[in-house]
Amino acid sequence: MSSSAISNFPITQKWPAQHPERLQLYSLPTPNGVKVSIMLEETGLPYEPHLVSFETNDQMSPEFLSLNPNNKIPAILDPQGPGGKPLALFESGAILLYLADKTGLCIPADAAERYEAIQWLMFQMGGIGPMFGQLGFFHKFAGKAYEDKRPRDRYVAESKRLLGVLNQRLADRQWVMGDSYTIADIAIFPWVRNLVGFYEAADLVGINDYPHVQRALAEFVGRPAVQRGLLIPGR
């Protein structure tokens, strides 16, 4: 399959591929975005990152919408998809699962453990991401001006509950799945990092009440691939 086949995708008109044989990443270094760049760095797959700037509404451009009609980052275009055909994919959780299956890395080989890892991936997608994101809105961004603090307090309470679930899970294991580092960790910990860092909500959620989460977060951030992935794409 010729790598020039991805030139048929309109997104390559706005973000030309300098290395069309590589997987193309369209993203921003946000919690959802860095999930994929970290996974790519962990697996060693060759890829080419492209910055999707929200400041210039790149995510609303016809070219980006042609790849992701939901106008969210990240998205990928893999010239070497299943069957050797190009594959366009959006939703960070789906991309993590695809990259894990493509490489055989960061996901258990055992069928039962594989589904358990996917379970924790969905725990992030359906719980941690949306709840932490809403807390950030009401604590740091436009919502902080609201006199009524009940919305903020709702998301604080739910974030604490989710942290408690995660803390209990990590009480007797290094990573979410035990000794093995998986896509569950890659999905969860960028959001925990964002909560206590960018959202400045460490005191609000009482992060010191979750020592196992703090320990695992420190180990996660200490990984070289994570340190690289957190900066990709460069702003």
Side-chain angles (χ1 to χ4, degrees):
M1 191 274 297
S2 170
S3 60
S4 63
I6 65 169
S7 63
N8 296 327
F9 289 81
I11 196 164
T12 63
Q13 297 170 14
K14 186 173 178 65
W15 290 276
Q18 300 301 313
H19 302 280
E21 75 284 359
R22 300 179 186 176
L23 184 146
Q24 306 292 304
L25 169 66
Y26 308 92
S27 191
L28 262 178
T30 66
N32 283 333
V34 299
K35 291 180 201 173
V36 177
S37 54
I38 288 169
M39 181 63 175
L40 288 165
E41 290 291 327
E42 293 280 7
T43 61
L45 271 177
Y47 71 102
E48 180 177 352
H50 303 278
L51 181 70
V52 180
S53 174
F54 286 4
E55 293 178 0
T56 52
N57 281 327
D58 283 351
Q59 77 278 16
M60 299 303 296
S61 65
E63 293 88 351
F64 188 79
L65 291 172
S66 71
L67 189 65
N68 183 2
N70 195 36
N71 65 273
K72 303 291 185 182
I73 60 95
I76 64 168
L77 176 55
D78 186 0
Q80 301 288 343
K85 298 179 180 179
L87 175 69
L89 205 59
F90 65 88
E91 280 295 334
S92 58
I95 296 170
L96 285 180
L97 192 53
Y98 169 69
L99 295 175
D101 286 344
K102 180 182 176 76
T103 61
L105 299 172
C106 298
I107 194 163
D110 176 79
E113 291 183 0
R114 170 188 165 85
Y115 282 112
E116 191 177 350
I118 293 172
Q119 160 190 274
W120 286 99
L121 171 65
M122 298 305 166
F123 170 77
Q124 184 278 307
M125 298 293 295
I128 281 180
M131 295 303 107
F132 287 11
Q134 293 291 345
L135 186 153
F137 172 80
F138 284 104
H139 177 59
K140 182 171 181 178
F141 297 107
K144 70 181 180 181
Y146 296 0
E147 291 185 14
D148 187 347
K149 297 304 178 187
R150 285 175 297 178
R152 186 203 67 177
D153 292 345
R154 167 185 168 84
Y155 292 114
V156 169
E158 182 62 5
S159 295
K160 287 182 174 182
R161 189 190 70 79
L162 292 165
L163 286 168
V165 172
L166 184 59
N167 194 68
Q168 182 178 19
R169 176 71 178 179
L170 292 166
D172 59 353
R173 66 196 78 212
Q174 180 180 10
W175 300 109
V176 170
M177 287 300 297
D179 293 335
S180 299
Y181 172 81
T182 69
I183 55 175
D185 305 293
I186 294 173
I188 288 169
F189 288 110
W191 273 102
V192 178
R193 175 179 176 269
N194 212 61
L195 178 72
V196 302
F198 183 68
Y199 288 160
E200 301 171 353
D203 291 340
L204 192 63
V205 298
I207 196 64
N208 290 333
D209 294 335
Y210 312 100
H212 307 300
V213 173
Q214 289 184 295
R215 183 265 307 160
L217 174 62
E219 291 187 32
F220 176 77
V221 174
R223 296 177 68 89
V226 171
Q227 293 175 16
R228 294 192 300 271
L230 287 170
L231 302 175
I232 297 170
R235 291 187 184 271

